[in-house]
């Protein structure tokens, strides 16, 4: 059994296609197919069912793919340890983060990281929670910062912070004067601005509406939390916002909800995914910044 065979098998299990696996591994499709046949012959068991153009992994393939994750992660960790912190692989990190995390958590942590790791190469992509998790599962990034909870046995989840969700309103709004906003009335208000489905906070809003048996009346959906807050500042509506996103703003008033609504942010990686030393250092800085 060869290391490249394990990589190919893992890629086919993840993508569900030999063609997609070949693209991911930067090899020709026939090479993937040949190595899978050799692996099946060596193991004496079928690893995939061919269904049209798709391949469906057997239980044996799923078990072997999980083992391949651990084996390849151990090899990567060993190589990084031998090469030392000056090696290129040890100084690279790719992550994706929700907008609030990318705007409010990452910059301070990254500033300290590049001071201590002057040769670090860092890539940060801003995505909604659903898209970020898809990138983690596809092994496109080292880790992601997303809204919790995340329930997927393929992922390792660590909490970073817990915070209040507040109602952002124009400074002279009636709820700003009262100092508290009833959740039921907020959700039923036609001026409520909403984040897009697939974003962590929107999932919480939908869940709160379902629990209170309220139909969301908001007519505007936007992908960007900062764009929503800018619209609120221009008296264009009201919006639910994590405390961290309204901290220090003077153009909107942040009002507590009744009952309170809280959310968690955390970092997630694919279970068994090896993290480079610089990735681990960045996570430590993020945790310190969150505290």
């Amino acid at each position: 059994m060869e290391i490249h065979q394990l990589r190919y098998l893992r890629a086919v299990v993840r993508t569900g296609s030999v063609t997609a696996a070949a693209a991911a591994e930067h090899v020709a499709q026939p090479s993937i197919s040949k190595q899978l046949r050799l692996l099946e012959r060596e193991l004496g068991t079928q690893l995939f069912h061919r269904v049209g153009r798709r391949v469906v992994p057997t239980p044996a393939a799923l078990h072997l793919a999980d083992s391949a994750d651990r084996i390849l992660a151990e090899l990567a960790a060993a190589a990084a340890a031998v090469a030392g912190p000056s090696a290129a692989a040890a100084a690279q990190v790719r992550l994706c983060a929700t907008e609030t995390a990318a705007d409010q958590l990452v910059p301070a942590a990254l500033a300290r990281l590049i001071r201590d790791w002057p040769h670090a190469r860092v890539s940060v992509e801003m995505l909604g929670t659903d898209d970020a998790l898809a990138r983690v599962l596809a092994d496109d990034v080292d880790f992601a910062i997303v809204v919790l909870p995340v329930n997927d046995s393929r992922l390792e989840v660590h909490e970073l912070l817990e915070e209040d969700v507040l109602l952002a309103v124009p400074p002279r709004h009636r709820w700003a004067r009262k100092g508290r906003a009833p959740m039921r009335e907020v959700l039923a208000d036609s001026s409520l601005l909403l984040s897009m489905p697939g974003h962590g906070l929107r999932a919480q809003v939908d869940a709160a509406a379902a629990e209170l048996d309220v139909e969301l009346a908001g007519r505007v959906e936007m992908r960007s939390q900062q764009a929503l807050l800018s619209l609120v500042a221009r008296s264009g509506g009201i919006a639910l916002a994590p405390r961290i996103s309204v901290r220090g703003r003077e153009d909107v008033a942040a009002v507590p909800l009744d009952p309170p609504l809280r959310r968690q942010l955390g970092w997630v990686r694919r279970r068994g995914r090896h993290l480079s030393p610089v990735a681990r250092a960045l996570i430590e800085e993020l945790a310190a910044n969150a505290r």
Side-chain angles (χ1 to χ4, degrees):
M1 191 182 302
E2 303 290 340
I3 295 300
H4 66 277
Q5 291 175 325
L6 293 178
R7 285 206 325 269
Y8 296 168
L9 175 129
R10 183 179 67 172
V12 174
V13 168
R14 289 179 178 178
T15 63
S17 160
V18 173
T19 301
E25 291 294 324
H26 306 290
V27 297
Q29 181 178 333
S31 296
I32 298 276
S33 299
K34 177 183 178 181
Q35 293 304 319
L36 292 182
R37 287 195 300 270
L38 291 173
L39 196 53
E40 287 179 324
R41 188 181 309 163
E42 179 178 349
L43 296 172
T45 187
Q46 186 173 4
L47 294 173
F48 295 94
H49 300 294
R50 277 71 178 177
V51 181
R53 295 184 177 181
R54 295 179 59 249
V55 289
V56 179
T58 65
L62 294 174
H63 180 79
L64 189 56
D66 284 341
S67 297
D69 264 344
R70 295 191 295 273
I71 292 166
L72 294 170
E74 287 294 329
L75 286 172
V82 170
S86 61
Q92 293 183 6
V93 57
R94 296 173 299 164
L95 69 142
C96 47
T98 59
E99 180 187 8
T100 303
D103 287 343
Q104 306 296 332
L105 279 182
V106 173
L110 196 52
R112 290 192 292 268
L113 181 84
I114 58 179
R115 178 196 63 201
D116 298 334
W117 293 75
H119 302 297
R121 297 180 64 87
V122 183
S123 171
V124 183
E125 185 176 4
M126 187 186 299
L127 292 173
T129 292
D130 288 355
D131 291 336
L133 294 178
R135 297 294 301 277
V136 172
L137 288 170
D139 240 5
D140 292 334
V141 294
D142 296 297
F143 67 94
I145 309 171
V146 297
V147 178
L148 304 182
V150 170
N151 299 307
D152 191 317
S153 61
R154 297 170 294 177
L155 297 172
E156 184 180 311
V157 183
H158 302 267
E159 182 181 337
L160 280 172
L161 65 83
E162 184 173 356
E163 63 176 344
D164 290 322
V165 175
L166 305 172
L167 180 67
V169 298
R172 296 184 180 180
H173 194 277
R174 59 188 174 93
W175 280 328
R177 296 194 299 270
K178 289 183 178 180
R180 188 163 294 273
M183 176 71 81
R184 181 180 293 276
E185 293 181 34
V186 168
L187 297 177
D189 195 302
S190 61
S191 68
L192 179 63
L193 309 171
L194 299 168
S195 54
M196 300 293 291
H199 288 235
L201 184 54
R202 175 59 184 271
Q204 281 188 277
V205 173
D206 289 342
E211 183 177 349
L212 294 172
D213 194 25
V214 175
E215 183 175 352
L216 290 174
R219 299 187 300 272
V220 176
E221 294 180 333
M222 299 183 74
R223 186 175 182 87
S224 168
Q225 180 72 56
Q226 292 304 311
L228 290 173
L229 291 174
S230 294
L231 190 53
V232 171
R234 291 169 171 78
S235 298
I238 60 178
L240 294 165
R243 180 182 293 278
I244 195 173
S245 70
V246 293
R247 183 175 55 189
R249 293 191 69 129
E250 298 181 356
D251 54 352
V252 300
V255 183
L257 292 163
D258 185 19
L261 183 64
R262 293 181 65 79
R263 75 156 191 174
Q264 294 176 314
L265 277 181
W267 69 271
V268 301
R269 65 170 169 173
R270 188 179 176 93
R271 195 172 294 279
R273 167 86 185 203
H274 168 69
L275 293 178
S276 67
V278 73
R280 292 186 179 279
L282 180 55
I283 288 171
E284 290 176 4
E285 294 290 357
L286 286 165
N289 193 35
R291 288 193 296 269

